[in-house]
Amino acid sequence: MKKVAIVQSNYIPWKGYFDMIAAVDEFILYDDMQFTKNDWRNRNQVKTPQGVQWLTIPVGQNINRRIRDVTTDAKWQPVHWKTLVQNYRRAAYFKEIAVWLEPLYLGSTFANLSQTNRAFIEAICEYLSIRTIISNSWDYNLGDGKTERLADLCAQAGGTEYISGPAAKDYIDEGIFRERKIELVWFDYGGYPEYQQLWGEFTHGVTILDLLFHCGPEAGRKMKWVGS
């Protein structure tokens, strides 16, 4: 049995994204898909005294690009780090996380958005001791058809079980997975416990960095697959 998930890369994703990574044997970053504006590819949310705030990587106005073709410059990196410092320096484990996170912002250069997202995802996985194989969609042959391509990627990776987020129910043809004898499983993002969080009412949907800053090595206990 091999479990596979295929998802576009996101910038400093929320905890559910990492629970999905931890739940599978191989996590394929699906960055051959077209970039979508005002989505999670190049931005995420942090908590501030004024409420939830977006951290956005500037990528220009052109959306007629694959995610892997979206280029960036380094000007946003110190701005984002300054925002994180301002809003999380009082968190219990800020200094511990900053040891490996600050160099990503202030000492690293990334060629494109895919490389940026993967670097942060891998660093966070390392901290959470998630050992899942992370690969790129262009490591495989890409066919035609929305569901067909996902099923083919899963099959090429040797997957016997495909894990998908519930939002994909709107477009995935379950019959195509049945034809290929691949079990389709819908991931459940419900039931997360709360934790001590700065700045007002608790919010689940922010970047996982919020959880790491507040809980440090105990972060996995506030997750599902990571903490199990």
Side-chain angles (χ1 to χ4, degrees):
M1 295 289 292
K2 181 177 180 179
K3 298 179 180 180
V4 174
I6 304 169
V7 182
Q8 294 98 324
S9 72
N10 290 355
Y11 172 55
I12 52 173
W14 81 301
K15 58 196 172 191
Y17 191 98
F18 290 93
D19 264 329
M20 180 177 281
I21 295 177
V24 300
D25 302 296
E26 183 171 351
F27 190 84
I28 301 176
L29 295 171
Y30 196 27
D31 283 4
D32 282 290
M33 292 291 288
Q34 180 173 313
F35 175 76
T36 48
K37 188 178 179 181
N38 298 329
D39 215 329
W40 301 102
R41 313 302 154 241
N42 66 312
R43 65 178 190 166
N44 222 295
Q45 295 180 322
V46 296
K47 287 194 71 182
T48 79
Q50 292 75 43
V52 172
Q53 174 183 323
W54 287 101
L55 278 184
T56 303
I57 300 174
V59 296
Q61 298 300 312
N62 180 15
I63 64 170
N64 295 316
R65 299 169 287 177
R66 297 175 300 179
I67 300 166
R68 62 184 290 193
D69 297 327
V70 174
T71 56
T72 65
D73 59 43
K75 294 179 181 179
W76 62 271
Q77 292 172 230
V79 176
H80 283 205
W81 180 245
K82 182 180 180 180
T83 300
L84 291 171
V85 172
Q86 288 174 338
N87 293 290
Y88 288 106
R89 64 179 181 271
R90 298 179 188 176
Y93 294 93
F94 177 82
K95 291 183 179 179
E96 176 178 316
I97 303 304
V99 169
W100 54 265
L101 185 62
E102 183 178 16
L104 282 173
Y105 281 103
L106 303 185
S108 302
T109 301
F110 306 108
N112 53 52
L113 183 61
S114 290
Q115 187 183 78
T116 302
N117 290 347
R118 179 162 180 159
F120 280 90
I121 289 168
E122 289 183 334
I124 294 166
C125 283
E126 178 67 24
Y127 182 78
L128 292 171
S129 298
I130 298 174
R131 305 304 181 198
T132 299
I133 295 169
I134 297 178
S135 56
N136 295 309
S137 54
W138 55 87
D139 295 333
Y140 298 97
N141 296 318
L142 299 179
D144 297 324
K146 186 172 289 186
T147 302
E148 290 86 350
R149 179 180 285 189
L150 293 173
D152 287 344
L153 278 172
C154 186
Q156 288 180 61
T160 56
E161 186 174 320
Y162 179 67
I163 311 296
S164 177
K169 289 182 179 180
D170 292 338
Y171 66 82
I172 281 185
D173 182 348
E174 298 186 31
I176 292 173
F177 282 91
R178 285 195 296 270
E179 290 172 3
R180 288 163 172 74
K181 295 181 170 53
I182 298 172
E183 183 179 0
L184 177 59
V185 177
W186 301 108
F187 199 76
D188 179 11
Y189 289 120
Y192 280 107
E194 296 184 1
Y195 54 88
Q196 189 65 40
Q197 196 178 55
L198 291 171
W199 316 129
E201 184 177 349
F202 188 86
T203 304
H204 281 292
V206 293
T207 170
I208 194 174
L209 296 181
D210 183 278
L211 172 61
L212 301 187
F213 288 142
H214 288 104
C215 298
E218 297 298 309
R221 297 182 181 276
K222 302 298 182 180
M223 298 174 69
K224 291 185 175 183
W225 295 87
V226 176
S228 61

